[in-house]
Amino acid sequence: MQDALVLSAGGLWAAWEVGAWTILRERFLPDLVVGASAGAWNAWAIAGGATPEQLAEQWLDPRTAQILRFNLHASGFLSGAPLLEAAREMFDRYRPRMPFALTIVELPSLRSILVREHEVTWRHLAATCAIPFGFPPVKIGNRFYVDGGLRAGLPLWAAESLGARRALAMNVLTTPAFKMLYRVMHGNRASSAMQVTRLEPSQPLGSVRDALVWNRSNVERWIELGRRDASSITM
């Protein structure tokens, strides 16, 4: 029975996942790691052998603020170039040492696509974080793709399709607005046969603006909250 670590989308809120993983990595050894959007970047680093200190360092690096740089254009309000550059750096820094997958959403069909470790390029890492109406869609081949969290912020379906039957799922998208979005979008879902241990923040992480505008104090607070929340979970 394969065990999966599943990490949700969530913009800068995904720093909370880093704190939680710092604690749970000692108690949970996944067979595969799956993520969407910012959770996919965390998953890529974890699958690539990143230590908790390295993960935290990435989120606390002021250069992270440059990824979400304002620039009004035809498809949104965030500049695409910094995202592409950061995706290249992430791709060059790590390579999966264990089964890994991320999700992206194809345009205009809005079809969720699962991309596995040997298929992933830096463009896929960029696409999974290309927030709709924020970043420009990312072209891969002859098609365009956006944020993997658009249809399913917590990609349990992807882990199940790869053979996982149990999952430790970290989800930061707990606000009513996001819950409504995923009801409306009718995204892919895991079956009832999947055994899921779900971990979510015990306190509100802040506003949507907080998830888009880097602030070191917020990142430190989210990482510490993740540690506290994970300390209370029984595996």
Side-chain angles (χ1 to χ4, degrees):
M1 180 179 290
Q2 287 199 324
D3 295 333
L5 174 64
V6 182
L7 303 179
S8 80
L12 294 171
W13 288 343
W16 175 91
E17 299 170 352
V18 174
W21 179 243
T22 299
I23 301 299
L24 293 177
R25 67 190 293 267
E26 302 294 338
R27 305 187 228 160
F28 180 74
L29 298 176
D31 299 301
L32 61 125
V33 188
V34 179
S37 194
W41 283 29
N42 281 338
W44 177 262
I46 289 170
T51 66
E53 293 76 19
Q54 288 172 325
L55 283 168
E57 180 182 336
Q58 289 178 197
W59 285 96
L60 291 168
D61 189 334
R63 291 181 301 171
T64 301
Q66 299 305 310
I67 299 174
L68 296 157
R69 186 186 305 166
F70 181 81
N71 179 36
L72 195 62
H73 50 82
S75 54
F77 60 91
L78 294 171
S79 177
L83 175 65
L84 298 180
E85 181 180 351
R88 286 192 190 99
E89 291 181 4
M90 177 69 73
F91 183 79
D92 290 340
R93 185 171 185 180
Y94 298 108
R95 287 293 189 279
R97 303 177 185 177
M98 61 187 300
F100 162 87
L102 58 75
T103 60
I104 54 179
V105 173
E106 181 183 280
L107 297 179
S109 67
L110 295 183
R111 183 167 61 104
S112 290
I113 306 293
L114 176 63
V115 189
R116 303 181 64 169
E117 63 275 354
H118 61 279
E119 303 167 336
V120 175
T121 69
W122 66 267
R123 288 189 174 274
H124 293 98
L125 287 175
T128 194
C129 288
I131 302 168
F133 308 112
F135 291 110
V138 176
K139 187 176 183 180
I140 304 173
N142 295 319
R143 299 184 182 277
F144 290 90
Y145 300 90
V146 294
D147 197 312
L150 176 61
R151 296 293 308 280
L154 183 65
L156 287 165
W157 69 271
E160 187 175 40
S161 71
L162 293 174
R165 293 295 173 265
R166 294 185 301 212
L168 169 60
M170 299 184 190
N171 179 40
V172 299
L173 298 178
T174 59
T175 65
F178 281 109
K179 291 179 179 178
M180 177 64 72
L181 171 65
Y182 295 124
R183 281 198 294 268
V184 170
M185 293 299 292
H186 300 292
N188 296 345
R189 296 176 181 272
S191 73
S192 59
M194 188 134 180
Q195 301 174 33
V196 180
T197 300
R198 187 183 296 253
L199 181 62
E200 297 177 340
S202 59
Q203 301 174 14
L205 297 180
S207 66
V208 173
R209 182 182 184 278
D210 291 331
L212 294 174
V213 179
W214 185 87
N215 178 284
R216 185 183 178 91
S217 295
N218 280 339
V219 173
E220 290 175 338
R221 176 171 61 86
W222 295 331
I223 291 175
E224 179 55 32
L225 179 61
R227 289 193 185 102
R228 294 203 307 268
D229 290 340
S231 296
S232 65
I233 192 172
T234 301
M235 298 297 300

